[in-house]
Amino acid sequence: MTVILGGGISGLSAAYYALDAKLSSIILLEASSRVGGWIRSRSSPSGAIFEQGPRTVRTLGEGGKNTLNLIDDLQLNDKLVYIGISHPVASNRLIYMDEALHRLPNSLKGIFKTSSLLDRPLINRIWTDLRAPKVSMEDESIYSFVQRRLGQDIADNIISPMICGICAGDAREISVNFLLKSLFEAEQKHGSIMKGLLMKRIFAKSKDKADAAKDNADHESAVGSLTLVEKAQKERWILWGLRGGLEQLPRALADNVKERGARIQTEKRCEKLTFKSDRVELSVNGEPQECSRVISSLGAKDLAELLREQHPGLSAELKAIPTVTVGVVNLEFQGNVLLLQAFGFLVPPKENLPLLGVIFDSCIFPESSTVLTVMMGGAWFEKYFGPNPSEEQLLTTAINHTRNILQIEEEPVAHNVAVLKDCIPQHVVGHTARVKRIHDYISAHHIPLALCGSSYQGVGLNDVILSAKQAVRDVVK
């Protein structure tokens, strides 16, 4: 029997892939009363969608393709809404700095101009990078890396707010060897970012020719319409979401795995794990259970507590992966109150504001009203709000800053406030080495335990789903 701990998107995905791998007797245990984890879609009185967690998914890379294939398999295509490369949401991304909104450069022409965010054109940074000396190291912070190779203004005004948007984190702490691995490896192998990317492009071109030949052969033998991945590539999708809210994805996954024989049990908290030579013993709500293997999608800190007595070294490594808390406030305004169509704006930490950024939801998924999501706190949550802020404090802060920045005179007609405690793991300097030590320990001690979720391989939805697929592969091996 396989027990999966956690009913968020990674745990549900693990159940899905475990069934594909023909693993039998799958039980998923979820401590709360619902599945879906941080993905939660609510409706305002008017029917507008308020997303507490993610609302869009990227199409790029192996993870992007894998998730689109999952959407295809779950037959959610009719609910899919996509954003193409020419959509204003794709081209207009804003930074709020010095009491004004600034557009990020979004075209080839833009890299030759001096942006209001930077002290010189982006094209000049090629020369800066080529002149910067190579520094050999295992890892460093993204801020340090970018400042060293491209300049402090890019580190402060572009990269730092981007890290706020990706993981609500501080670029001075997040690992470049994890989050921007290809850029870091370009310097380590070739001495500069630009040289490394050029070499990678040359290699990619020859690979693309081989892949294109293979794709042509596949298409010649294929019958029927384009797959979702092929459609996304052909129409140049950047992002996609689901009409009616992204929570439909975990719901569809839950329905799928239950129909195929997996059991999902909510309000079942695992309190302890003990690994024996021939079985795994679990304490669930104080009651003993047994299984042959465990796939954990729990946050690393939560899993650490379950392993503390039997494997204190492993527990310590897991506990060392930090998390941040994010305040999320959804606001709805009557009619269209925005001066421009955009994905939203991010705020550099140096502005000393409690806002990480604001997403323009109704630009991404058109509504009859204006819907915004305000993200606050993150790595600076306690600095601005203390340990236990009231919903009123969060709501007032969100409304006042958002109305001021976006010049909105109207009061919101509906709102939703949520504090997502410890919701985003922080992949700080040394994270890659730490995750390797964790996996090496599990392997060396022959522990029937596989790991998935946002604590290890990335915080994006694509990363999390792909980590579940890999966890099942590890179990099968």
Side-chain angles (χ1 to χ4, degrees):
M1 182 172 73
T2 301
V3 167
I4 298 170
L5 300 179
I9 189 67
S10 55
L12 292 166
S13 298
Y16 176 88
Y17 292 119
L19 289 162
D20 280 357
K22 309 300 183 187
L23 295 180
S24 59
S25 301
I26 296 164
I27 298 178
L28 185 149
L29 304 178
E30 165 56 40
S32 74
S33 60
R34 59 176 286 275
V35 296
W38 300 115
I39 302 177
R40 191 158 198 171
S41 309
R42 296 179 180 272
S43 294
S44 76
S46 73
I49 299 299
F50 286 163
E51 295 281 18
Q52 285 186 195
R55 76 263 302 129
T56 57
V57 186
R58 295 185 177 275
T59 59
L60 294 176
E62 181 190 358
K65 292 176 182 178
N66 182 68
T67 305
L68 283 173
N69 287 331
L70 181 62
I71 293 295
D72 234 343
D73 292 344
L74 294 173
Q75 299 180 358
L76 289 171
N77 307 43
D78 59 329
K79 295 180 180 179
L80 193 143
V81 181
Y82 70 88
I83 299 297
I85 197 168
S86 60
H87 195 285
V89 163
S91 55
N92 291 335
R93 291 171 183 262
L94 311 171
I95 302 291
Y96 180 73
M97 188 182 78
D98 298 332
E99 300 184 349
L101 289 169
H102 307 260
R103 272 195 184 93
L104 283 168
N106 59 14
S107 66
L108 184 62
K109 189 185 295 183
I111 71 171
F112 292 95
K113 295 180 179 179
T114 301
S115 163
S116 56
L117 290 164
L118 306 173
D119 57 21
R120 54 203 166 103
L122 276 172
I123 193 69
N124 289 3
R125 307 314 165 105
I126 295 177
W127 180 240
T128 304
D129 172 59
L130 291 172
R131 288 174 55 197
K134 172 189 173 182
V135 178
S136 298
M137 60 180 73
E138 289 186 9
D139 200 359
E140 69 178 308
S141 76
I142 287 178
Y143 185 94
S144 170
F145 176 80
V146 172
Q147 180 188 39
R148 194 164 52 75
R149 300 222 63 91
L150 300 174
Q152 185 170 345
D153 54 347
I154 289 186
D156 279 332
N157 305 337
I158 295 181
I159 295 301
S160 288
M162 283 176 61
I163 298 305
C164 289
I166 292 169
C167 65
D170 187 344
R172 295 173 185 269
E173 298 178 356
I174 302 300
S175 162
V176 69
N177 189 28
F178 180 81
L179 201 57
L180 297 178
K181 192 174 186 69
S182 62
L183 301 189
F184 181 71
E185 287 181 344
E187 180 198 34
Q188 295 301 303
K189 290 181 181 178
H190 303 284
S192 86
I193 296 173
M194 300 305 166
K195 287 179 185 175
L197 293 181
L198 180 61
M199 293 300 293
K200 186 176 180 181
R201 185 62 194 149
I202 291 170
F203 174 78
K205 278 189 175 180
S206 60
K207 185 176 183 295
D208 287 345
K209 287 180 181 178
D211 289 345
K214 181 179 181 297
D215 288 344
N216 288 336
D218 290 343
H219 283 309
E220 286 174 8
S221 61
V223 179
S225 59
L226 294 175
T227 66
L228 210 51
V229 169
E230 291 167 337
K231 186 176 172 65
Q233 291 173 334
K234 184 178 180 182
E235 298 175 2
R236 303 179 77 189
W237 298 2
I238 300 295
L239 302 165
W240 60 266
L242 296 176
R243 190 179 293 106
L246 197 61
E247 192 174 349
Q248 292 170 98
L249 173 53
R251 287 176 183 165
L253 267 172
D255 290 343
N256 178 282
V257 300
K258 284 190 286 188
E259 285 172 8
R260 293 199 284 157
R263 285 183 285 164
I264 295 177
Q265 300 177 356
T266 55
E267 298 183 329
K268 295 289 186 180
R269 181 180 297 277
C270 181
E271 296 157 342
K272 188 177 178 182
L273 285 173
T274 306
F275 296 94
K276 303 289 187 177
S277 59
D278 60 343
R279 67 191 186 281
V280 185
E281 295 178 352
L282 305 87
S283 175
V284 180
N285 292 1
E287 298 292 327
Q289 287 191 22
E290 290 184 359
C291 67
S292 54
R293 65 183 72 86
V294 171
I295 300 174
S296 173
S297 72
L298 303 177
K301 284 184 179 179
D302 293 328
L303 178 60
E305 285 303 305
L306 306 185
L307 303 173
R308 182 165 44 86
E309 288 185 22
Q310 188 181 20
H311 294 284
L314 177 58
S315 176
E317 290 281 23
L318 291 164
K319 200 170 184 179
I321 299 173
T323 56
V324 297
T325 295
V326 178
V328 176
V329 178
N330 308 102
L331 301 173
E332 182 182 12
F333 296 88
Q334 198 162 15
N336 180 24
V337 299
L338 295 175
L339 298 177
L340 78 165
Q341 296 283 299
F343 186 85
F345 67 84
L346 295 169
V347 182
K350 69 171 192 171
E351 295 297 302
N352 291 313
L353 291 177
L355 271 62
L356 298 166
V358 176
I359 299 170
F360 299 175
D361 295 88
S362 50
C363 293
I364 305 168
F365 307 110
E367 305 265 8
S368 57
S369 55
T370 299
V371 180
L372 308 174
T373 298
V374 187
M375 302 170 295
M376 301 184 293
W380 304 270
F381 190 87
E382 287 208 16
K383 172 185 174 181
Y384 291 113
F385 299 108
N388 296 298
S390 66
E391 286 194 4
E392 187 62 35
Q393 180 186 354
L394 292 167
L395 178 61
T396 301
T397 302
I399 291 174
N400 289 346
H401 283 288
T402 302
R403 289 178 65 205
N404 176 56
I405 292 169
L406 296 176
Q407 301 173 37
I408 298 173
E409 296 181 358
E410 292 83 352
E411 291 286 342
V413 294
H415 68 266
N416 182 65
V417 180
V419 176
L420 309 183
K421 186 168 175 54
D422 297 327
C423 63
I424 306 181
Q426 301 294 284
H427 302 133
V428 298
V429 174
H431 180 76
T432 299
R434 172 167 285 115
V435 170
K436 184 179 185 302
R437 290 195 299 271
I438 288 170
H439 284 295
D440 286 349
Y441 184 101
I442 291 171
S443 178
H445 290 78
H446 306 289
I447 303 173
L449 171 68
L451 307 177
C452 60
S454 57
S455 291
Y456 312 106
Q457 303 302 333
V459 299
L461 188 137
N462 290 330
D463 303 318
V464 167
I465 293 174
L466 203 57
S467 78
K469 194 173 190 177
Q470 183 59 51
V472 171
R473 286 175 184 157
D474 292 343
V475 161
V476 171
K477 279 196 295 186

